[in-house]
Amino acid sequence: MSSHNDWVTEAELSREWSRFTFDDALRDSARRFPERRALVGHAHSLTYAEFDRAADELAHGLAAQGIGRGDQVAIWMTNCPVWVVCWMACVRVGAVLVTLNTRFKQEEVEYILRQSDSKLVIAMDRFWNIDFLAIIREMLPESAHAPAGGWRSARLPQLRSIVLWGDTAPPGTLNLTGLRAMGAARLAQGVQLPRVSVEHPVIIVYTSGTTGHPKGAVHDHRVLRNAANIARVMRITPSDVILGHMPFYHIAGAITACTTAILLGCTNVTLPHWQPDEALEVIDRECVSIFGGIPTHFIDCVDAVERRGQSPVSLRSAWIGGAPVTPDVALAARSALGLEALIAVYGMTETTAVTNASGFDDPLEILCDNKGRPIGDFEVGVFEPGGSRALAVGEVGEIWVRGHVVMQGYYRNDLATAEVRSPDGWFRSGDLGSLDDAGYLKITGRLKEMFIVGGTNAYPAEIERLLQAEPEVKQAVVVGVPDRRLGEVGFAFVQLREGHTLQTEVLAGRLRSRMADYKVPRFVEFVMDFPRTSTGKIQRFILQHEARSRVSNPG
C-alpha cells in the first residue's frame, strides 16, 4: 500500500486543480491505472480502462437520444458500477445528473422529475421486490402504448425517454445496453463531444426544505477539489479500496466514495443496501481500507463483529458524521474495526458533503466533542443568528460557509437560494456552533426544525404536508426525538377533524406508501389541540419537550 507521501506526490503532478474536470480525472486515472479495478459490485467489475470506455460509449448513446449540454438526466438506481458509469457519461455529454432516492414513492419522484426538468430517466426495472417500472408507468401511462421516444406526458412535459438498466426494454423504453451500442457506433465514426468547463453543473442533489418541498442543490466540477481535501484528511492513496455503501443519491456517497475514487484512481466497491454482516464480508473479501458513514453504520458493525467474533483486518481510516458522535460508539468502533483513525466530519448537501473534520492523529476527545477544522481553501465562520456580525471565539452562533464547496444554488428556486445566501456569498447553514482558540468548530445544535434520521435529513414541514393530506387529519406537528440507533426519529402530534377517528397503524401504513420510510414518524400522539401563543401560533418548543419526555418516560 502506498504511503501518505506517495499520494501527495501523485496529487501534485502539475495539475491545475481549479480547472480540473471529471473528464480530466477519469481519463487521467484510466491512463495511469488502466488495469486496476475501478468499480466492483452487483456481480460486476470494471477496470479503469473499461470504465473510461463504458462512459464514452454511454455518453455518445445519450447524445444519440438528444441529450446534450445543460439537459437534466435523472437516475433512480441503487449503488452499483452502472450508477457511476451513468454519472460520468452524463458529465461527458454535458448533462446534469439528478439523483433520486431509491426509497421515494411515486409522489416524491414525480415532483423531482417535474421540478428538475429531467429529460430522461435511467431506472431499475425491479429490485428489492419493488417494481420500479410499475411506479414509472403510474406516472407515465402513455409510455406503455407507444414506441420509445414516441410518447409525451402532460404531467411531466420535459421527460422524453425511459432507460432501464440491463437488457430489458418493454414498450416505450430503452435500455443501457442498447444505448451503449448506439454510442459505440458513433465512436467508431469519429464523432466528438464538446468539452465541458469546470463551472458547468454536474449533479443536482435534492434535499427537503422547510416549505415542504425538496430543493435541488446544484454542484459543478469544483466538487473534485473537495474530494481532494477529503482524501488528504483521511490519507487516502490511489491503491486504497473504498467501500461505496453510502447511497450515491446522497451527497456523502457521491463525493466521499464516487468522486474521491475517480480522482485518485482508487477501487470503489459498491453495496446496493446496508446489511452489516454482508458489509463486513465484502470488506474482508475486497480488502477494503477506507470506510465512512453515520453512527448507525458503526453501531451495526460493532454488533456484527461481536456476533462474528472476528474484526476486519484491512480497514485503515474511516469518517463518521451526520449525527453527534458519542464516546462509547467512537471507542467501540475504533477497536472493533481496527482503525488507525476515526475522523468526525461536518458538512451538508449544499456544501459538498464535508467542510470540517477532526485530524487523522487528533486525540479521541476531539472526535467525541464533534470538533473539526475546515479541510480546504474556503471559509467557515460563526455569525450572529439573524444578523451578519461575526462572533468571537467561544460564542455560539450560526455556521456560515463561503467558497468553492458551496453549491451554485437551488435549481429553479431563486427565492430559496436567496434565503440561504448572503449578499457577499456566505451560505447560511442553519446550524449552530462555536469556534475555539485552536480553530476547531464545535457543532452545538440547529436553528432549523430539521432532524436527522440515520444520517438523512427529515424536515417537519414536508412530513406535516403529507400528514395533513389525509382526509381525517386537521393539523399535524412533527418534531424529532432521540433514538439510540438512528440518532433521531419523528414524533407526530396529530389533530383529527371533528367526528373522525383514525388508528395509528392505519395512518402509518398510508404514510409508508407515500413517503420514504425514514420520514414516517415512529411515534404518533392524537391531540385535541396544540399549545399556542396568544396570537394562535403553535408553540413547537413545548411539543418538542413533551415528545422527548414521552420517549424517555414511556407510559
Side-chain angles (χ1 to χ4, degrees):
M1 181 176 292
S2 300
S3 69
H4 178 46
N5 288 334
D6 290 333
W7 178 79
V8 172
T9 301
E10 295 281 0
E12 293 176 348
L13 289 176
S14 63
R15 300 176 182 175
E16 183 58 46
W17 286 105
S18 63
R19 309 309 303 171
F20 216 51
T21 68
F22 274 94
D23 189 50
D24 297 324
L26 179 52
R27 293 200 189 281
D28 188 58
S29 290
R31 175 186 59 80
R32 291 186 294 144
F33 312 115
E35 300 306 314
R36 174 175 292 165
R37 293 187 309 165
L39 299 165
V40 178
H42 206 62
H44 196 46
S45 176
L46 290 174
T47 66
Y48 266 98
E50 292 167 336
F51 180 14
D52 188 44
R53 176 71 181 185
D56 268 346
E57 290 178 351
L58 187 53
H60 280 275
L62 291 170
Q65 294 302 307
I67 300 299
R69 181 170 296 184
D71 288 331
Q72 273 69 249
V73 173
I75 187 164
W76 201 18
M77 191 183 298
T78 190
N79 289 15
C80 60
V82 172
W83 197 105
V84 191
V85 171
C86 288
W87 187 14
M88 292 305 100
C90 288
V91 166
R92 285 192 170 168
V93 81
V96 187
L97 192 75
V98 176
T99 66
L100 293 171
N101 188 322
T102 54
R103 292 184 287 179
F104 277 172
K105 303 301 190 294
Q106 178 184 330
E107 182 179 343
E108 297 162 306
V109 171
E110 185 173 342
Y111 174 81
I112 291 176
L113 289 175
R114 183 184 305 110
Q115 202 278 333
S116 66
D117 297 316
S118 289
K119 194 172 180 179
L120 181 147
V121 59
I122 304 172
M124 304 177 286
D125 50 0
R126 293 187 66 91
F127 202 68
W128 302 308
N129 294 319
I130 299 172
D131 193 333
F132 289 90
L133 180 57
I135 298 173
I136 292 173
R137 295 291 201 204
E138 285 290 320
M139 293 184 287
L140 303 164
E142 306 90 345
S143 66
H145 308 291
W151 49 266
R152 292 294 180 268
S153 169
R155 292 165 66 175
L156 296 168
Q158 299 297 325
L159 200 61
R160 294 290 183 269
S161 301
I162 302 166
V163 179
L164 302 178
W165 65 356
D167 303 318
T168 303
T173 72
L174 301 165
N175 61 49
L176 288 173
T177 301
L179 278 190
R180 281 193 61 180
M182 294 179 198
R186 285 169 55 95
L187 276 171
Q189 296 166 6
V191 178
Q192 299 291 317
L193 296 173
R195 179 169 172 79
V196 297
S197 65
V198 71
E199 295 83 11
H200 190 87
V202 294
I203 194 168
I204 301 177
V205 182
Y206 273 79
T207 181
S208 299
T210 55
T211 60
H213 286 296
K215 298 173 293 187
V218 181
H219 288 282
D220 56 34
H221 292 265
R222 287 175 293 183
V223 299
L224 286 163
R225 294 172 64 183
N226 215 39
N229 292 331
I230 293 166
R232 186 185 65 256
V233 168
M234 295 190 67
R235 301 185 182 177
I236 302 174
T237 72
S239 59
D240 274 315
V241 179
I242 301 173
L243 187 68
H245 71 282
M246 288 292 288
F248 293 163
Y249 59 71
H250 191 284
I251 194 71
I255 304 302
T256 64
C258 297
T259 305
T260 301
I262 291 168
L263 181 65
L264 270 68
C266 304
T267 300
N268 182 358
V269 177
T270 67
L271 285 184
H273 43 238
W274 176 251
Q275 293 179 350
D277 289 285
E278 178 183 333
L280 289 176
E281 290 173 5
V282 170
I283 288 170
D284 286 338
R285 183 177 69 244
E286 303 295 341
C287 296
V288 171
S289 52
I290 305 298
F291 182 69
I294 59 177
T296 304
H297 292 129
F298 290 88
I299 293 170
D300 287 349
C301 283
V302 169
D303 291 343
V305 166
E306 291 177 354
R307 286 194 303 270
R308 288 158 46 100
Q310 179 181 351
S311 296
V313 298
S314 58
L315 287 176
R316 190 178 77 257
S317 67
W319 61 264
I320 183 169
V325 182
T326 57
D328 60 325
V329 171
L331 283 168
R334 283 212 314 197
S335 174
L337 298 180
L339 297 169
E340 290 181 31
L342 180 60
I343 297 166
V345 302
Y346 165 75
M348 302 179 69
T349 300
E350 294 89 343
T351 60
T352 322
V354 179
T355 55
N356 289 60
S358 58
F360 194 93
D361 298 316
D362 275 345
L364 187 64
E365 53 264 30
I366 295 292
L367 166 67
C368 295
D369 212 15
N370 298 283
K371 289 182 177 181
R373 291 189 177 107
I375 66 172
D377 55 339
F378 50 83
E379 300 172 86
V380 178
V382 176
F383 290 78
E384 180 183 20
S388 59
R389 179 176 63 89
L391 299 181
V393 167
E395 292 188 276
V396 174
E398 186 179 10
I399 300 165
W400 291 13
V401 183
R402 182 167 64 179
H404 65 82
V405 292
V406 178
M407 64 175 180
Q408 290 186 347
Y410 294 120
Y411 182 75
R412 274 206 306 118
N413 199 335
D414 293 340
L415 179 60
T417 301
E419 288 175 350
V420 298
R421 179 177 289 162
S422 72
D424 52 351
W426 286 96
F427 171 75
R428 305 182 181 99
S429 73
D431 292 331
L432 295 171
S434 63
L435 289 166
D436 65 17
D437 290 323
Y440 283 96
L441 176 71
K442 176 180 172 61
I443 313 302
T444 60
R446 291 188 292 275
L447 284 174
K448 301 176 181 178
E449 298 162 351
M450 173 266 291
F451 54 97
I452 301 175
V453 184
T456 301
N457 293 354
Y459 292 82
E462 182 182 11
I463 303 170
E464 290 162 6
R465 177 174 60 83
L466 292 171
L467 269 169
Q468 288 164 194
E470 297 299 322
E472 300 91 344
V473 175
K474 179 180 179 181
Q475 195 167 11
V477 175
V478 176
V479 297
V481 293
D483 181 86
R484 177 185 176 274
R485 180 172 179 269
L486 296 174
E488 292 175 290
V489 294
F491 190 119
F493 293 92
V494 177
Q495 181 185 23
L496 298 178
R497 297 183 185 278
E498 188 174 351
H500 287 75
T501 60
L502 186 61
Q503 297 296 315
T504 301
E505 297 77 11
V506 172
L507 177 59
R510 292 181 191 171
L511 294 176
R512 290 190 189 98
S513 70
R514 301 188 62 212
M515 67 176 78
D517 54 2
Y518 67 87
K519 299 178 186 177
V520 178
R522 300 300 195 272
F523 304 94
V524 176
E525 181 171 324
F526 293 105
V527 297
M528 297 298 295
D529 201 354
F530 303 98
R532 300 177 185 270
T533 66
S534 58
T535 59
K537 184 177 180 181
I538 294 175
Q539 295 175 302
R540 283 181 175 268
F541 72 95
I542 294 179
L543 293 175
Q544 179 76 75
H545 176 76
E546 290 180 1
R548 289 176 178 268
S549 177
R550 302 280 199 283
V551 172
S552 60
N553 300 291

